[in-house]
Amino acid sequence: MEHPPKYTADNLTTIQSFILQEARRHPNASGEFSWLLSAIALAGKVIAAKIRRVHLDPVLDIGGDNVHGEQQKPMDLVANEIIIRCLGDRTDLGLLGSEEEAEPVQLRSAEEGGKYSVLFDPLDGSANLGLGVGVGTIFSILRHEQALDAEAPHLQIGRKQVAAGYILYGPSTVLVLSTGRGVHMFSLDPAVGAFVLVRSDLKIPSGGKTYSLNEANADSFGSGWGDWLSGCRRTGWRSRYIGSMVADVHRTLLEGGVFAYPRTARHPEGKLRLMYEANPMAFLIEQAGGRGESGTGPILNIRPTHVHQRVPVILGDPVGVDQLLNTLRR
Ligand code: AHG
Ligand code: MN
Ligand code: MN
């Protein structure tokens, strides 16, 4: 087989051609996995179009409460529906686990061809929705044949993910993806409706001096955090906190530094969900050369027990994360 093309600035590579090129690297791949990824890219385009109208179609911006007792916006449900409708006809999809679904949705048994689970946060940061601040979709793909000793095919450790990524609906709509061979970033060109490759094999810069966490909760973070924060302030770090995980992690991926959501009084086990927030983001950050930690070990090694379980999160470049962990361990 000829050498795969080297991605250069002047190649116009869309996510579709990228996925097909990746599929060709696995001669025995049947294309089913690529088909799932293309459904997620389609959902991203549809959700992006809806989000642009959140002030124009008021029905998108009034709320209720979800299974977590959190204020739920119809756009959470609209995004959830869009993803389910885009993925629903992918005949290899066995199970969907969504933040907005109390229980995972079984689409097909193994006998009916269900081979993958897709876990997702359809709209992350939705509290920011009407404020013009970046919000996103986070997704994680698990292959059932890898489940082995897992509790269930959709509850495998994060290291087993076959793909993970997010779509950030910000000044531009970007899709960041890893299938285990580096991290690649695509930007939606609305003129042609295609996600175009803009960065390939992204690596997190080491030694970034930005910390990103909700300091309003600092009194209940636990021992060591206060020392770390004052150390950051003393050594010229800056604070940036958007309050949408996708936006805060995207900045951390591009600039380095540390994003964290530690245990708090309100969320003693952490606020962020393992299966569709922490695991996909930790997968990406590790693929980019960074670290994803819970405070007691790598996030990707945590054995899941429930689709909505929460976990403390520390994500960032290796220098920043090591410095934080060393301070916490004192
Ligand atoms: P979601 O909108 O999917 O519920 O996620 C919100 C999360 C995450 O995006 C963000 O990092 C965190 O909530 C912010 O929480 P605080 O407002 O407590 O800081
Ligand atoms: Mn979220
Ligand atoms: Mn959400």
Side-chain angles (χ1 to χ4, degrees):
M1 183 170 77
E2 77 278 9
H3 289 288
K6 171 147 180 40
Y7 296 127
T8 61
D10 53 8
N11 284 351
L12 179 59
T13 302
T14 64
I15 193 162
Q16 299 307 357
S17 51
F18 176 85
I19 291 169
L20 292 174
Q21 273 161 350
E22 285 298 289
R24 283 171 60 185
R25 292 176 196 274
H26 307 282
N28 55 353
S30 60
E32 60 211 18
F33 177 51
S34 316
W35 209 30
L36 280 181
L37 289 175
S38 68
I40 290 169
L42 172 63
K45 291 184 212 173
V46 179
I47 294 170
K50 285 278 182 202
I51 282 187
R52 304 277 170 252
R53 298 193 56 79
V54 73
H55 298 297
L56 302 171
D57 302 343
V59 71
L60 295 177
D61 191 21
I62 49 181
D65 278 351
N66 65 8
V67 66
H68 316 271
E70 289 158 346
Q71 214 259 348
Q72 188 173 41
K73 295 197 174 288
M75 194 57 224
D76 281 314
L77 296 178
V78 167
N80 191 52
E81 279 308 304
I82 288 168
I83 294 171
I84 293 174
R85 286 183 58 212
C86 289
L87 280 167
D89 71 343
R90 281 11 192 196
T91 49
D92 305 292
L93 185 55
L95 184 135
L96 283 171
S98 166
E99 177 194 4
E100 306 308 335
E101 300 288 339
E103 293 304 324
V105 179
Q106 171 98 37
L107 298 178
R108 291 170 196 84
S109 66
E111 296 67 37
E112 293 160 327
K115 292 183 189 160
Y116 294 92
S117 285
V118 175
L119 294 305
F120 58 95
D121 177 353
L123 198 63
D124 172 71
S126 52
N128 282 321
L129 190 64
L131 310 178
V133 174
V135 294
T137 296
I138 312 172
F139 61 90
S140 167
I141 303 181
L142 294 168
R143 189 174 170 84
H144 291 181
E145 73 180 9
Q146 295 181 190
L148 304 179
D149 57 349
E151 290 263 330
H154 67 287
L155 291 175
Q156 300 176 50
I157 62 167
R159 212 162 288 289
K160 293 278 191 74
Q161 293 171 96
V162 290
Y166 57 81
I167 302 152
L168 173 58
Y169 312 105
S172 55
T173 299
V174 295
L175 189 155
V176 174
L177 167 70
S178 177
T179 60
R181 300 166 50 82
V183 177
H184 311 287
M185 178 173 150
F186 303 82
S187 187
L188 180 63
D189 180 343
V192 297
F195 277 108
V196 177
L197 181 69
V198 291
R199 295 280 300 273
S200 44
D201 205 15
L202 258 168
K203 291 298 174 195
I204 187 169
S206 215
K209 290 195 147 192
T210 300
Y211 66 86
S212 179
L213 76 177
N214 186 340
E215 289 187 74
N217 303 319
D219 292 348
S220 61
F221 283 162
S223 72
W225 282 93
D227 293 343
W228 177 69
L229 284 169
S230 45
C232 290
R233 295 183 196 111
R234 261 198 322 275
T235 52
W237 284 48
R238 64 174 190 170
S239 170
R240 287 283 185 279
Y241 191 67
I242 299 164
S244 298
M245 183 188 197
V246 175
D248 282 317
V249 172
H250 189 62
R251 181 204 53 250
T252 305
L253 174 64
L254 296 181
E255 293 189 348
V258 176
F259 166 82
Y261 205 108
R263 302 176 193 286
T264 65
R266 184 152 175 249
H267 293 295
E269 73 282 25
K271 175 181 182 184
L272 300 174
R273 276 55 61 108
L274 174 64
M275 297 311 292
Y276 44 81
E277 289 174 315
N279 268 344
M281 291 307 204
F283 185 80
L284 289 169
I285 292 288
E286 282 204 5
Q287 281 286 318
R291 300 271 304 276
E293 292 281 333
S294 66
T296 53
I299 288 168
L300 296 183
N301 292 350
I302 295 173
R303 299 188 64 75
T305 52
H306 187 271
V307 71
H308 297 303
Q309 78 184 71
R310 298 174 191 266
V311 66
V313 170
I314 298 169
L315 296 167
D317 72 74
V319 170
V321 170
D322 270 347
Q323 198 178 55
L324 167 54
L325 293 178
N326 291 337
T327 307
L328 297 183
R329 287 182 190 130
R330 272 188 210 145

